[in-house]
Amino acid sequence: MSESKLSVRHLIGIKELSVSDIELLLDTAVQFKEVLQRPIKKVPSLRDITVANLFFENSTRTKLSFELAEKRLSADIINFSSSGSSVSKGETLLDTVQNILAMKVDMIVLRHPSVGAARYLSEKVNTQIINAGDGTHEHPTQALLDAFSIKEKFGKLKGVKVAIIGDILHSRVALSNIILLIKMGAEVKVCGPSTLIPKLIQSLGVEVEYKLSKVLEWCDVANVLRIQTERQELQFFPSAGEYASFFGITKDTLDNLKKKIVLMHPGPINRGVELSTDAADSEYSIILDQVENGVAVRMAVLYLLANNK
Ligand code: CP
């Protein structure tokens, strides 16, 4: 494994990472993906390191992927979910974490519904923090695994045309992806209903396209986002059916394009809304490759941060 070091002690967001950090993370993930193809998938890199996975919000992929990555690296782990915990009795985030740290924990993986929760903790406790998603802000390991999957497919990120389609306004996946892809020289357009596109999104270096057919003809990769009804207090579009008729992608949509594009989705999918089942399960889709790559990418994050205390 590489002896190079990250410039950061915590992984709060893609915003804080340099181009070299991103390259180091992606290159290290390639090596861990090779380890994961072996009959014995476990390495001793994080032996005697204890990681606490603290999930204050629901998760399937991120939670299991971090847990598996930690086990593959031989870390000791503890898992915490806010449901069923003393959070329901009024215990604060900081009190919860300080109690867990009293049990001698070296690293924290945190998913939290509040924007800035990971940064707040990194400033309050003397333990390394990995952001596993903070509200509508950032989801850095998702952006890294998405970039890894694009690079695996195209051999590069520079110049690859990526369309991010759907609920951009509420999506931490969109923000982390945009920041990473622009840093690495990819071209990015966002597409969705005008009510779900943030007003100043162009300041991040992306273009806005409101017509799905136009953005699909332009792109090499369509990264389709979930409509996040749990974050939408207002009605941003009339109905799921109407959304699907304007922005939903079917296999026919993809078959009728002039070139073959790659279809991505961070999950969970609203089948029949942003993607039809025949599109999600088609030969265009690398959605399960993204999930597979997530373990190697998270191993790289844990390994490199552990070497950067
Ligand atoms: N992509 C993603 O973050 O999925 P989960 O919410 O299931 O972790």
Side-chain angles (χ1 to χ4, degrees), residues 8 28 31 37 43-44 66 75 93-95 106 119 141 166 179 198 202 210 217 224 232 238 255 257-258 275 304 308:
V8 292
T28 307
Q31 297 176 57
Q37 312 306 314
V43 289
F66 265 113
L93 170 63
L94 190 54
D95 276 341
D106 301 295
R119 170 166 307 287
T141 57
I179 298 172
Q202 285 99 334
Y210 295 104
E217 285 296 352
V224 182
Q232 296 181 9
D255 286 341
L257 296 173
K258 290 191 192 82
L275 286 183
L304 289 167
N308 209 18

Side-chain angles (χ1 to χ4, degrees), residues 278-304:
D278 65 358
D281 301 337
S282 69
E283 68 272 21
Y284 302 100
S285 168
I286 60 162
I287 295 170
L288 293 180
D289 298 331
Q290 291 172 259
V291 178
E292 179 185 345
N293 292 336
V295 179
V297 165
R298 291 181 173 113
M299 287 172 81
V301 168
L302 290 156
Y303 170 81
L304 289 167

Side-chain angles (χ1 to χ4, degrees), residues 12 92-95 110 115-125 129:
I12 305 300
T92 65
L93 170 63
L94 190 54
D95 276 341
L110 178 74
V115 168
R119 170 166 307 287
Y120 168 75
L121 265 196
S122 73
E123 290 167 358
K124 292 283 180 192
V125 300
I129 309 292

Side-chain angles (χ1 to χ4, degrees), residues 2 9 30 49 71 94 98 106 127 130 153 159 172 183 188 231 240 305 309:
S2 169
R9 185 169 170 260
V30 171
I49 301 268
K71 286 182 171 166
L94 190 54
Q98 279 175 333
D106 301 295
T127 300
I130 300 173
K153 202 79 193 162
R172 55 193 175 209
K183 276 190 196 210
V188 183
R231 295 195 204 282
L305 286 179
K309 284 192 172 210

Side-chain angles (χ1 to χ4, degrees), residues 55 57-64 111 132 139 142 145 172-173 226 265-268 298:
F55 279 72
E57 194 186 77
N58 294 342
S59 170
T60 298
R61 279 145 291 271
T62 312
K63 189 175 178 184
L64 294 178
R111 171 167 287 193
H139 192 348
Q142 181 68 46
L145 76 87
R172 55 193 175 209
V173 175
R226 183 171 66 90
H265 192 300
R298 291 181 173 113

Side-chain angles (χ1 to χ4, degrees), residues 11 46 50-56 59 62-67 69-70 77-80 93 97 100-101 105-112 118 121 127-133 139 141 298 301-302 305:
L11 180 59
L46 258 64
T50 303
V51 185
N53 299 308
L54 312 186
F55 279 72
F56 291 78
S59 170
T62 312
K63 189 175 178 184
L64 294 178
S65 181
F66 265 113
E67 192 173 332
E70 291 149 10
I77 64 174
I78 53 172
N79 291 316
F80 167 93
L93 170 63
V97 170
I100 289 167
L101 292 181
V105 165
D106 301 295
M107 294 173 104
I108 286 178
V109 173
L110 178 74
R111 171 167 287 193
H112 199 280
L121 265 196
T127 300
Q128 288 178 290
I129 309 292
I130 300 173
N131 183 6
H139 192 348
T141 57
R298 291 181 173 113
V301 168
L302 290 156
L305 286 179

